[in-house]
Each structure stands twice: as structure tokens, then as C-alpha cells.
Amino acid sequence: MPATAHPVIQAGDHKAYLEYALSQAEKSPPKPTNFRVGALVLDVDTNTILATGYTLELEGNTHAEQCCFLKLAKEHDVAEDQLGPLLPKNSVLYTTMEPCNKRLSGNLPCTERIVSLEGAIKTVYVGVLEPEKFVGQNEGRKKLEDAGIKVELVGGLEDRILAVATAGHKQTGEV
Ligand code: ZN
């Protein structure tokens, strides 16, 4: 089986897609300073997974969504900001955690990356809203919705998503 083979998931089975994104998050190295997140981009019209990504998959302080877009940009041999018109018009993003709206590192936040794809991503399916631990309140959802991108919470995996996301963090009560 080629390394890029993805499981066959029934169209519209959001929880199953999110679960696959979570399996990507599990590949991310546990660290005290970030969340382990997994993401994937799906072409809804053909029910084809275009890319997957997870936190720190690529070099630099990379986020899961960012890794998806960088991998797709590489595949199309363009810069990330040229990617939008090359993506299927009915693409959606699944991510275990709400896309970030602010980055302490000065990197471009994932919400801005999604918006800059110029409408290629129609809906963002998220498993949990971003905890406010690192950057304060996340206003990313509003930014996405203002750009005409739907944000939908897919329930049922919250506990597992958070357990994977915070595996490298100190537990409550530790100093
Ligand atoms: Zn991000």
C-alpha cells in the first residue's frame, strides 16, 4: 500500500473523517508548549482526501492545517498563497481543534491561511474549540464566517481529542 493511501470513509460521515484527523494528531510529538492537532482536506464532490497534516509534521513550528496546505502547495508546485484556485471548489477542512487565530510565534494564523485560499474551503469541521490557554479567546470562527466559510462543531470525540492534544502538557495540579 502506498504511503499516501487513506481509509475509505463514507461521504458525509463527519465523525469518521474527524477520527481520521485524530489519528494524524497522534503522530505529532508531545510537547508542553502546543497542542497536538490533526487535520485533513477533503474534496467533497469526489469524496477524496487531498491531504493530511499534524502539528509539527513539517519543519518549523508548523500547525496541522498549515501542513495540509503546504503539502498541497508542494504537490501543485506553487507557493501556499497561490493554492486557492488550484483546489477543488468544494473542499472542506477537518481539524481536531478549532483553527488558530493568533500565533505567539508570529507565524500566519491558520484562520488567515484558510481565508487566503479564496473560498476553496467551504466548511471547517472542528472537534473542539481551541482552549484559551495560550492565546486567549479565539476569534477565528468569526473571521472564517465573515469570509463565508462555515464552521461546524462535530461532537463525540472531545475527550479523546483533548487527551491527544495535551499529552505533552503538565497535568492539573503539577507545578
Ligand atoms: Zn494554526
Side-chain angles (χ1 to χ4, degrees), residues 3-72:
T4 51
H6 300 300
V8 176
I9 297 172
Q10 208 181 336
D13 191 345
H14 302 310
K15 196 174 164 191
Y17 274 112
L18 194 64
E19 197 145 10
Y20 186 47
L22 179 58
S23 76
Q24 300 301 307
E26 286 170 342
K27 298 182 187 176
S28 179
K31 298 238 176 170
T33 49
N34 59 26
F35 296 113
R36 298 162 81 213
V37 176
L40 64 89
V41 177
L42 178 76
D43 174 10
V44 172
D45 290 336
T46 61
N47 195 40
T48 306
I49 293 174
L50 303 175
T52 59
Y54 55 86
T55 310
L56 302 179
E57 180 180 3
L58 299 178
E59 202 177 322
N61 185 18
T62 49
H63 283 187
E65 306 91 322
Q66 180 182 6
C67 289
C68 288
F69 301 146
L70 289 173
K71 285 158 81 175
L72 283 168

Side-chain angles (χ1 to χ4, degrees), residues 20-142:
Y20 186 47
L22 179 58
S23 76
Q24 300 301 307
E26 286 170 342
K27 298 182 187 176
S28 179
K31 298 238 176 170
T33 49
N34 59 26
F35 296 113
R36 298 162 81 213
V37 176
L40 64 89
V41 177
L42 178 76
D43 174 10
V44 172
D45 290 336
T46 61
N47 195 40
T48 306
I49 293 174
L50 303 175
T52 59
Y54 55 86
T55 310
L56 302 179
E57 180 180 3
L58 299 178
E59 202 177 322
N61 185 18
T62 49
H63 283 187
E65 306 91 322
Q66 180 182 6
C67 289
C68 288
F69 301 146
L70 289 173
K71 285 158 81 175
L72 283 168
K74 193 176 177 200
E75 216 174 280
H76 288 279
D77 201 21
V78 295
E80 188 189 350
D81 60 2
Q82 305 295 309
L83 182 63
L86 301 174
L87 288 179
K89 289 183 173 32
N90 210 5
S91 298
V92 297
L93 175 75
Y94 289 86
T95 178
T96 55
M97 207 170 271
E98 185 179 7
C100 65
N101 186 45
K102 209 186 279 179
R103 294 190 59 174
L104 302 176
S105 58
N107 262 304
L108 193 63
C110 293
T111 47
E112 283 178 32
R113 293 174 189 273
I114 294 164
V115 168
S116 75
L117 295 175
E118 297 172 13
I121 303 287
K122 296 291 186 284
T123 304
V124 178
Y125 294 98
V126 303
V128 294
L129 302 177
E130 187 177 46
E132 297 180 5
K133 180 171 177 179
F134 294 130
V135 291
Q137 195 180 2
N138 193 325
E139 292 169 354
R141 173 182 290 223
K142 188 179 182 310

